[in-house]
Amino acid sequence: MEPHENTGHPRRWAILGVLVISLLVVVLDNTILNVALRTLADPVHGLGATQGELEWSINSYTLVFAGLLFTFGVLGDRSGRRRFLLIGLVLFGLSSLLSAYAQSPGQLIAARALMGVGGAAIMPVTLSIISNVFDPRERGRAIGVWAGAVGLAVAIGPILGGALLEHYWWGSVFLINVPVVAVGVVLVALLVPESRDPSPGRVDLLGVLLSVVGLVALTYGIIDGGEHGFDRPVVWAAVGGGLAVLAWFVLHELRSDHPSLDVRLFRVPRFAAPVAMVGLIFFAAMGVMFFSSFYLQLVRDYSPLQTGLLFLPFAGAQLIFAPRSAAMVRRYGGRAVSVVGLVLTVAALGAFVFVDATTPIWVVLVFFFLQGAGMANIMPPATESIMSALPREKAGVGSAVSNTVRQVAGALGVAVLGSVLSAVYRADVAAAVDRLPAPAREAATESVSGAYAAAGQLGPAGPQLIAAANDAFVSAMHWAAAFATVVAALGILVVLRWMPGRGAADPVAPSVGEPELAGTA
């Protein structure tokens, strides 16, 4: 082969555009839902969902999505990536319709779980197809565009959701997915070539089953603990059982002659270090983004549309810097770019320790921009390092592992940081609500949202309760932000210690083709 011959698909950039559309629908859904939570809790204009039901409307999607990502990445490599993408888009569109017309919180939670199945089929195959249609020399740039699409969806989602909620009923935030899905299905069918692992061998059925059961049990324990507390046996049974099953999965994969994932890949720094970095940063970032939405809509009294607009600096920074990070990686190396991104993200997260109810909003916007710029320079080099540690035909494994770690870490971040937030809030607000009637006291103690609802029924005493709830929430936010900052800072140590520097990653490439690293016997 000629040294400069491009081995990519002739229509690779058009295909990338189609994959971006497919990715948009998955990311849009979650970002839109974040600004709709307050409306869904309204018994008149929404479904009258409780705080727990609101959490499960988010977490039912995450639970199914994270549990199936790895399996669907493997099965997509085997049975055909375009086929899996089409099935995922159709399922996502149908479940969006069900969500839009749900008549109760329970129906919405079930429909969201079905959306998780569709999302799990879409997400990993988009990266797999990128790895197969692009020449390795262009893959970093393509992944930068892919990551930038996430920033675009983050920007569009809250603004679009806020605008829809101001003019239409709450179901419109789910119905908007349907036309995007329809366009995506047509373009995928016309442009995206079919690809699969040319020599898949036997399916590791036990490995697939163990990965699903272990991830679902672990994620369930994390989410349920965040909602009801980690002091109950059922939570630790789920977490411990999930970890035990995943340990069994690791032992099985080490002994299998046809593993679905050769866990010896984690001995390769180019693969293991960015996976750990992604997990740590999404643990911290997703937890902070979760309470930021409540801070803006309740403590600062912004509408859903205004809240969406306030997240624009975060999304704008991703749009600006993510596509350019590939060039930075080529010039300075993945480790240097990742460290800079991590330092910016840690600084932005740590700044929330000093944010209160009177902080000028432009200062908060600067923090959002710094966080967006930092994360834009974390995901592309991390994803490129993960994907380049595998041969093209095993791309689904890499993307599945990367996205599974991201989703599980994000769920863990929301659950653990949410638990910290709730514990500190309840302790601080207890004195202020001690003399309230029992129903108002229970609502105000449950969450800051409950305190606002209770204040509306207290007449002249309402403003005093709101002030106390705001103070308690801000104090709790400071503790949660400090915890998130420490976790994110661990990512810097991981990168400096184990991620290969500039010019150090290339020697890994020849070993990728060896059986123990390729995932074949």
Side-chain angles (χ1 to χ4, degrees), residues 1-8 135-137 392:
M1 185 180 69
E2 293 295 328
H4 301 291
E5 180 183 346
N6 193 310
T7 61
D135 185 280
R137 290 165 294 186
R392 286 188 180 188

Tab-separated table of all heavy atoms in Angstrom, residues 1-8 135-137 392:
chain	number	residue	atom	x	y	z
A	1	MET	N	0.835	-1.195	0.000
A	1	MET	CA	0.000	0.000	0.000
A	1	MET	C	0.873	1.250	0.000
A	1	MET	O	1.891	1.309	0.676
A	1	MET	CB	-0.899	-0.002	1.245
A	1	MET	CG	-1.880	1.137	1.272
A	1	MET	SD	-2.932	1.077	2.769
A	1	MET	CE	-1.711	1.465	4.006
A	2	GLU	N	0.440	2.253	-0.764
A	2	GLU	CA	1.199	3.493	-0.812
A	2	GLU	C	1.153	4.181	0.552
A	2	GLU	O	0.128	4.145	1.238
A	2	GLU	CB	0.594	4.440	-1.877
A	2	GLU	CG	0.753	3.938	-3.309
A	2	GLU	CD	2.201	3.875	-3.740
A	2	GLU	OE1	2.990	4.712	-3.268
A	2	GLU	OE2	2.563	2.982	-4.508
A	3	PRO	N	2.244	4.860	0.922
A	3	PRO	CA	2.289	5.471	2.246
A	3	PRO	C	1.175	6.480	2.474
A	3	PRO	O	0.713	6.639	3.592
A	3	PRO	CB	3.670	6.124	2.280
A	3	PRO	CG	4.484	5.405	1.260
A	3	PRO	CD	3.532	4.973	0.201
A	4	HIS	N	0.739	7.184	1.396
A	4	HIS	CA	-0.241	8.253	1.574
A	4	HIS	C	-1.617	7.857	1.061
A	4	HIS	O	-2.485	8.699	0.922
A	4	HIS	CB	0.242	9.524	0.869
A	4	HIS	CG	1.567	10.023	1.377
A	4	HIS	ND1	1.720	10.545	2.638
A	4	HIS	CD2	2.802	10.036	0.797
A	4	HIS	CE1	3.001	10.888	2.824
A	4	HIS	NE2	3.665	10.575	1.732
A	5	GLU	N	-1.830	6.605	0.760
A	5	GLU	CA	-3.131	6.176	0.270
A	5	GLU	C	-4.159	6.239	1.393
A	5	GLU	O	-3.916	5.768	2.511
A	5	GLU	CB	-3.050	4.746	-0.258
A	5	GLU	CG	-4.381	4.230	-0.797
A	5	GLU	CD	-4.278	2.787	-1.248
A	5	GLU	OE1	-3.141	2.299	-1.384
A	5	GLU	OE2	-5.333	2.160	-1.455
A	6	ASN	N	-5.321	6.852	1.113
A	6	ASN	CA	-6.379	6.973	2.113
A	6	ASN	C	-7.277	5.752	2.033
A	6	ASN	O	-7.860	5.461	0.992
A	6	ASN	CB	-7.195	8.255	1.858
A	6	ASN	CG	-8.086	8.591	3.047
A	6	ASN	OD1	-8.821	7.755	3.547
A	6	ASN	ND2	-8.011	9.849	3.489
A	7	THR	N	-7.387	5.024	3.140
A	7	THR	CA	-8.170	3.789	3.151
A	7	THR	C	-9.609	4.018	3.593
A	7	THR	O	-10.344	3.056	3.802
A	7	THR	CB	-7.517	2.772	4.106
A	7	THR	OG1	-7.483	3.314	5.433
A	7	THR	CG2	-6.108	2.427	3.653
A	8	GLY	N	-10.007	5.270	3.740
A	8	GLY	CA	-11.364	5.572	4.189
A	8	GLY	C	-12.392	5.405	3.087
A	8	GLY	O	-12.078	5.299	1.900
A	135	ASP	N	-10.007	6.578	7.525
A	135	ASP	CA	-8.599	6.228	7.629
A	135	ASP	C	-8.115	6.605	9.034
A	135	ASP	O	-8.548	7.623	9.593
A	135	ASP	CB	-7.809	7.011	6.564
A	135	ASP	CG	-6.344	6.611	6.540
A	135	ASP	OD1	-5.594	7.105	7.401
A	135	ASP	OD2	-5.963	5.821	5.656
A	136	PRO	N	-7.223	5.795	9.631
A	136	PRO	CA	-6.737	6.112	10.974
A	136	PRO	C	-6.185	7.532	11.120
A	136	PRO	O	-6.279	8.136	12.185
A	136	PRO	CB	-5.646	5.068	11.203
A	136	PRO	CG	-6.069	3.905	10.383
A	136	PRO	CD	-6.713	4.496	9.150
A	137	ARG	N	-5.620	8.072	10.025
A	137	ARG	CA	-5.053	9.429	10.101
A	137	ARG	C	-6.139	10.500	10.174
A	137	ARG	O	-5.881	11.610	10.620
A	137	ARG	CB	-4.155	9.676	8.893
A	137	ARG	CG	-2.862	8.864	8.916
A	137	ARG	CD	-2.188	8.843	7.567
A	137	ARG	NE	-3.000	8.134	6.575
A	137	ARG	CZ	-2.597	7.869	5.339
A	137	ARG	NH1	-1.401	8.253	4.941
A	137	ARG	NH2	-3.380	7.220	4.512
A	392	ARG	N	-9.990	-2.291	13.632
A	392	ARG	CA	-11.263	-1.778	13.154
A	392	ARG	C	-12.423	-2.742	13.407
A	392	ARG	O	-13.518	-2.348	13.770
A	392	ARG	CB	-11.193	-1.477	11.648
A	392	ARG	CG	-10.397	-0.240	11.297
A	392	ARG	CD	-10.552	0.066	9.815
A	392	ARG	NE	-9.795	1.243	9.426
A	392	ARG	CZ	-9.889	1.790	8.228
A	392	ARG	NH1	-10.669	1.266	7.312
A	392	ARG	NH2	-9.176	2.860	7.929
